[in-house]
Amino acid sequence: MLRRILNALYLGGALAGAGSIVAIGLLIVSQVTGREMGILVKGADDLTAWSVVAAGFLPLAYTYRQNRHIRVTVVVEQLVGWRRRLLEIFILLVSLFLASYMTYSAFDMIRDSFRFEELSQNLIVIPIWIPQSSIAVGSLLLAIAIMDDLVVSLLGGQPAHVVAGEASRASGQSQRWTS
């Protein structure tokens, strides 16, 4: 049950990120069309910028779980057995610390924006904490995904990104560029 909830959260972040990409495309099309018709699409630049941020942060957990983040595994691949497992757990701990700090900083930024009633400074005036929320939510989902893998590793299982990487190698998908 918990696994289904977590996977749904990760997928929800990915779908929200995909929705942000669709929003970017629609905003660009509306700007181009509006320009040809002499109509100003108010705030399209701001909305596009905020959508780019959302598209970058919201799918972080999903792409992490699918082994789609860049990982430097030169040292890890040289180890086997308990040494490799210990290094993987250490890496997950460091990653969890960094993702948690990023999450804390994002929520702190939102708290300050909310407390000081900070508004955007452009054509569309909205509370700035609203677009900043995508940073906090995406960072939180990433921290949860890393914690998920850490718990699985500590219980003797394989982290999701390792399982996904092995599955892609087994299916013949190459991680390298081909000519």
Side-chain angles (χ1 to χ4, degrees), residues 125-144:
V125 178
I126 64 167
I128 201 68
W129 65 266
I130 295 171
Q132 290 173 341
S133 296
S134 66
I135 300 169
V137 170
S139 300
L140 178 62
L141 289 174
L142 178 62
I144 291 170

Side-chain angles (χ1 to χ4, degrees), residues 39-154:
I39 300 170
L40 172 67
V41 180
K42 186 177 177 183
D45 291 339
D46 299 329
L47 294 171
T48 300
W50 296 330
S51 295
V52 167
V53 171
F57 275 89
L58 292 173
L60 281 175
Y62 183 81
T63 54
Y64 164 76
R65 301 269 305 165
Q66 298 298 315
N67 195 37
R68 298 298 180 219
H69 287 198
I70 296 173
R71 290 178 41 104
V72 180
T73 58
V74 174
V75 175
V76 173
E77 289 178 350
Q78 302 303 314
L79 300 175
V80 293
W82 67 270
R83 286 184 176 100
R84 182 177 183 148
R85 183 173 208 73
L86 191 63
L87 183 58
E88 285 279 0
I89 289 171
F90 175 74
I91 291 167
L92 286 169
L93 282 168
V94 171
S95 300
L96 179 59
F97 171 77
L98 294 172
S100 297
Y101 185 72
M102 182 170 60
T103 302
Y104 168 78
S105 296
F107 277 102
D108 189 49
M109 175 179 63
I110 289 170
R111 183 181 58 85
D112 285 346
S113 295
F114 189 78
R115 189 175 67 186
F116 296 121
E117 298 177 7
E118 187 177 0
L119 300 173
S120 62
Q121 300 293 314
N122 298 313
L123 292 175
I124 295 180
V125 178
I126 64 167
I128 201 68
W129 65 266
I130 295 171
Q132 290 173 341
S133 296
S134 66
I135 300 169
V137 170
S139 300
L140 178 62
L141 289 174
L142 178 62
I144 291 170
I146 294 170
M147 187 183 312
D148 182 358
D149 272 355
L150 179 60
V151 169
V152 167
S153 293
L154 290 172

Side-chain angles (χ1 to χ4, degrees), residues 27-39:
L27 285 163
I28 290 170
V29 167
S30 67
Q31 258 188 319
V32 170
T33 305
R35 189 174 301 131
E36 290 299 318
M37 299 172 77
I39 300 170

